[in-house]
Amino acid sequence: MSIKNFLRFFSLLAFIIFSTSFQLHKSKPAPTLKWLTWNEAVELNKTAPKKILVDVYTEWCGWCKRMDKDTYQNETIINYLNTNYYCVKLDAEMHEDIKFNDHVFKFVSDGRSGSHELASSLMDNNMSYPTIVYLTQNFERVLISPGYKKPETLLPELKFTAEEIYKKKSWQDYTAGK
């Protein structure tokens, strides 16, 4: 075998080894959180019931954006939410009507701004952002949780609702035992 043929063979072998090892070590794509509209969650819940997490936010809310960037990008949180919940993003200042249970929820202006009736109803008119509202698959409210949450703070809340701990303990008793 000539040196020229040996170099061709060696180059081809090196290329095959390099390209195979590159394919074997490809990183899997990061999971993404499946956000739904209210209506999409309602429709999906009809055939495959799940708990519902409603993230009530506004476009101008800095803590809401930070929670989207940090907490809702955490792989543990994403996997837990996608498995156990329908996740709804609800803009508390949206202007579109939402029909639910024979009622039409609308935007209500208060002069310079306003809020959506569904957000107000879910949050008992305590409008602060971000706020997470946890609902059963029957749309019964379990917990209202205002404020920014880090992943390690959010996970116990997710488990409290998804695992139906709320049926045995209050949120205060659950968190006191941690």
Side-chain angles (χ1 to χ4, degrees):
M1 179 184 279
S2 71
I3 299 255
K4 190 176 184 181
N5 286 340
F6 175 75
L7 289 175
R8 283 185 191 157
F9 173 76
F10 182 74
S11 296
L12 179 62
L13 183 63
F15 174 76
I16 290 170
I17 291 170
F18 175 75
S19 63
T20 304
S21 68
F22 180 73
Q23 290 176 356
L24 293 175
H25 293 96
K26 279 185 191 176
S27 61
K28 64 179 182 176
T32 56
L33 192 50
K34 296 174 191 143
W35 288 110
L36 305 168
T37 65
W38 178 266
N39 291 333
E40 289 170 334
V42 169
E43 284 305 308
L44 286 170
N45 196 55
K46 288 178 182 176
T47 55
K50 279 188 184 183
K51 303 291 189 292
I52 298 163
L53 175 141
V54 183
D55 179 46
V56 185
Y57 73 100
T58 62
E59 291 294 325
W60 51 263
C61 170
W63 286 108
C64 301
K65 291 174 185 172
R66 184 167 176 192
M67 199 159 160
D68 284 341
K69 183 179 172 230
D70 299 337
T71 307
Y72 291 132
Q73 296 299 317
N74 177 282
E75 192 168 335
T76 301
I77 297 297
I78 292 169
N79 290 332
Y80 196 87
L81 284 170
N82 285 340
T83 301
N84 297 288
Y85 288 88
Y86 290 125
C87 298
V88 174
K89 276 285 199 191
L90 182 64
D91 182 350
E93 296 176 344
M94 69 184 272
H95 289 255
E96 297 84 24
D97 293 350
I98 295 177
K99 185 177 181 185
F100 179 66
N101 284 346
D102 299 322
H103 180 80
V104 178
F105 294 90
K106 299 179 172 289
F107 176 80
V108 177
S109 177
D110 66 3
R112 291 181 39 208
S113 62
S115 61
H116 199 276
E117 290 175 324
L118 181 58
S120 298
S121 175
L122 289 170
M123 298 167 55
D124 285 342
N125 292 314
N126 296 316
M127 309 304 281
S128 68
Y129 314 106
T131 292
I132 299 171
V133 181
Y134 297 91
L135 305 172
T136 68
Q137 55 270 37
N138 297 320
F139 297 93
E140 298 159 334
R141 191 175 51 211
V142 174
L143 184 65
I144 300 172
S145 180
Y148 171 81
K149 306 279 184 295
K150 293 180 180 181
E152 60 272 15
T153 307
L154 182 60
L155 195 56
E157 290 184 8
L158 299 176
K159 290 180 178 184
F160 180 74
T161 303
E163 298 171 16
E164 298 186 346
I165 297 168
Y166 62 88
K167 290 183 176 180
K168 299 174 231 147
K169 294 182 179 183
S170 69
W171 174 246
Q172 290 75 20
D173 290 342
Y174 176 66
T175 54
K178 290 249 172 213

